[in-house]
Amino acid sequence: MPIRLLSSEVASQIAAGEVIERPASVVKELLENSLDAGARSITITIEEAGKKLIEVADDGSGIPSAELELAVTRHATSKLVHSDDLFSISTLGFRGEALASIAAVARVAIASRAVGKPHAWRIEVEGGTIGAVAPAALAAGTTVTIEELYFNTPARRKFLRTEATEWAHCDEAFRRIALAHPEVAFSLTHNGRAQVRVQAGGRRSRVEALLGDAFVLHAAAVDADAGDVRMSGLAVRPAYAAEGPLTQYIFVNGRFVRDRVLSHALREAYRDILHHDRQPAYALWLTLDPRRVDVNVHPQKTEVRFRDSGAIHQFVRHAVERALAANAAEQPAVSAAERLGIAAAQMPPLVATDNLGASGQQRQDANHSNPFTAQRGLMLAAGEPAAFYRQLFGERTAVARTGPARSGRLPSRVCRNGACPPRPTRQSG
Ligand code: ADP
Ligand code: MG
């Protein structure tokens, strides 16, 4: 076959595939846009796991009517001006391709009222064809409505998984962003049912709402800084680390990332104190000068490259090691219980649960079945007496008193060389 140029329609559908892999990618991109626009409150409505509808309404700065068409044009962004800006990115978006990509594979409507304007304007795009800008009714901010994702790319649509799986991806995308930005209120509805509603607040309350009280109760506070690099958040103490899939969240300058340097640093921090069949669990925020990290590594921007990865690795590892060691020496369980105003003796036993259903009471805010979060973390089981809890607290307290003072390692109560104290039975409800 001779070499031919792809039609612009096919080319943009291919490009869209890199950014919009599945409905969850739309959720991520739209939420990032709302955050970049300075939204304080974001409402997300999803139907059929995003295959039918994804709508994100924010109260951010809005898009001027004259720019609505540009917003859905590829490589048009308000966030970068010079190529130098690429090396100091402080916004979540910057590539100017999300809305254009979504518009290439879905029906898109954007209504927006720019700050200070008398009313809102609206634009519709279908399969890449941009309609006229028309007046609309909207009190403030921007509402982006995405319908019938992949309606014009049936092959892509066929690759979507079951509604439960796609929903789990959407929920996880939401969770990453809502955790990263506790200063913003979020509400999430799926198929007409409220899933999550969280007020603006601090990190601790956001983690509690989205990852459960037990996560907070059994975590050590991490707080360290070295010049312009700062890390804070929560790292679950080894005795409470889960066996199942991961609850591992690291945010770099407000962005969820999957980074080998960071996850290796975390594994190292837990290495000598965590039984080999357990996984570290954490929610950590790393902030640093944007010039020290390259986020333009991949279209989806979950990968980053640190300019000085060795120093970052050391910093993160030590920050978490110190937090876990200090926490172990402080009889943490008792103080954690006190913090919540609960007497330790009244507390039900801890159960590593493999089913989110069991955690419903702990997670009223986030009461939904998500295979990602379902099997992670620890939940408080209802009912049984506090013997196991007391045993844990008693032992830990004793070890904390007699154990090595702040040696940089946890005392050896927790699973060493495969020898773990008895664990409660797994709960399957
Ligand atoms: P990027 O975020 O990389 O700039 P997008 O395609 O996601 O690219 O968005 C294009 C432009 O549309 C943004 O740069 C921004 O100016 C505008 N925009 C998109 N969503 C919103 C929103 N919710 N509020 C305000 N402006 C928005
Ligand atoms: Mg964007």
Side-chain angles (χ1 to χ4, degrees), residues 78 81 223 230 249 361 363 395 423:
S78 56
V81 181
D223 199 356
R230 170 137 204 257
Y249 294 93
Q361 285 170 344
R363 297 176 57 184
E395 265 188 75
R423 283 216 147 226

Side-chain angles (χ1 to χ4, degrees), residues 29 32-33 36 79 93-94 98 301:
E29 294 296 338
E32 289 188 346
N33 281 346
D36 281 343
K79 302 169 193 176
F94 54 86
K301 297 169 285 184

Side-chain angles (χ1 to χ4, degrees), residues 25-347:
S25 329
V26 175
V27 173
K28 169 182 180 282
E29 294 296 338
L30 298 186
L31 290 178
E32 289 188 346
N33 281 346
S34 295
L35 291 168
D36 281 343
R40 308 313 296 171
S41 177
I42 304 178
T43 303
I44 307 121
T45 310
I46 296 178
E47 276 174 32
E48 293 177 17
K51 298 181 208 182
K52 185 163 175 228
L53 172 81
I54 299 172
E55 184 168 272
V56 172
D58 69 48
D59 59 355
S61 57
I63 307 171
S65 57
E67 293 177 18
L68 273 174
E69 202 172 308
L70 269 181
V72 291
T73 306
R74 192 169 299 280
H75 303 146
T77 177
S78 56
K79 302 169 193 176
L80 277 188
V81 181
H82 306 291
S83 60
D84 279 359
D85 296 347
L86 260 184
F87 302 100
S88 59
I89 287 165
S90 57
T91 49
L92 294 166
F94 54 86
R95 298 169 61 107
E97 58 189 2
L99 287 180
S101 295
I102 297 167
V105 293
R107 298 182 222 278
V108 175
I110 304 175
S112 191
R113 181 169 176 178
V115 169
K117 296 296 178 203
H119 65 85
W121 294 86
R122 179 183 157 92
I123 194 170
E124 288 181 20
V125 195
E126 189 174 317
T129 308
I130 303 176
V133 177
L138 186 69
T142 302
T143 298
V144 180
T145 309
I146 310 299
E147 287 173 293
E148 307 297 335
L149 184 60
Y150 303 129
F151 78 98
N152 56 351
T153 47
R156 190 111 207 151
R157 199 174 174 98
K158 262 215 314 257
F159 272 101
L160 292 178
R161 310 289 294 276
T162 62
E163 181 165 331
T165 301
E166 294 301 338
W167 163 248
H169 283 283
C170 289
D171 181 57
E172 181 63 13
F174 162 79
R175 193 171 290 271
R176 290 172 179 178
I177 285 174
L179 276 170
H181 295 277
E183 74 284 2
V184 176
F186 289 91
S187 112
L188 172 66
T189 302
H190 185 219
N191 290 340
R193 288 177 55 192
Q195 303 289 328
V196 180
R197 189 181 295 270
V198 282
Q199 300 302 312
R203 288 173 181 171
R204 185 174 282 268
S205 59
R206 185 56 57 92
V207 169
E208 206 164 55
L210 295 180
L211 300 181
D213 321 17
F215 186 99
V216 173
L217 185 64
H218 301 295
V222 178
D223 199 356
D225 65 85
D228 63 350
V229 185
R230 170 137 204 257
M231 178 166 241
S232 67
L234 296 165
V236 168
R237 297 197 301 274
Y240 306 101
E243 290 168 22
L246 310 179
T247 308
Q248 299 181 345
Y249 294 93
I250 303 191
F251 308 104
V252 175
N253 290 347
R255 185 192 304 279
F256 173 88
V257 300
R258 285 229 171 281
D259 177 67
R260 297 223 322 269
V261 171
L262 294 177
S263 43
H264 185 265
L266 264 299
R267 272 203 309 281
E268 286 286 295
Y270 274 92
R271 195 176 57 160
D272 292 346
I273 54 174
L274 189 64
H275 190 255
H276 58 79
D277 64 3
R278 303 286 152 90
Q279 296 287 350
Y282 44 80
L284 297 166
W285 287 258
L286 181 69
T287 46
L288 72 174
D289 186 327
R291 282 172 299 193
R292 297 178 63 152
V293 56
D294 183 2
V295 291
N296 190 25
V297 179
H298 187 271
Q300 290 171 13
K301 297 169 285 184
T302 38
E303 284 168 45
V304 292
R305 209 167 281 141
F306 294 104
R307 307 229 182 276
D308 190 355
S309 59
I312 295 292
H313 183 279
Q314 259 211 330
F315 169 75
V316 168
R317 178 184 156 180
H318 287 149
V320 176
E321 264 178 4
R322 264 201 314 276
L324 292 172
N327 200 257
E330 274 170 16
Q331 304 174 23
V334 173
S335 59
E338 281 168 1
R339 231 188 11 251
L340 292 187
I342 309 167
Q346 294 169 356
M347 296 194 72

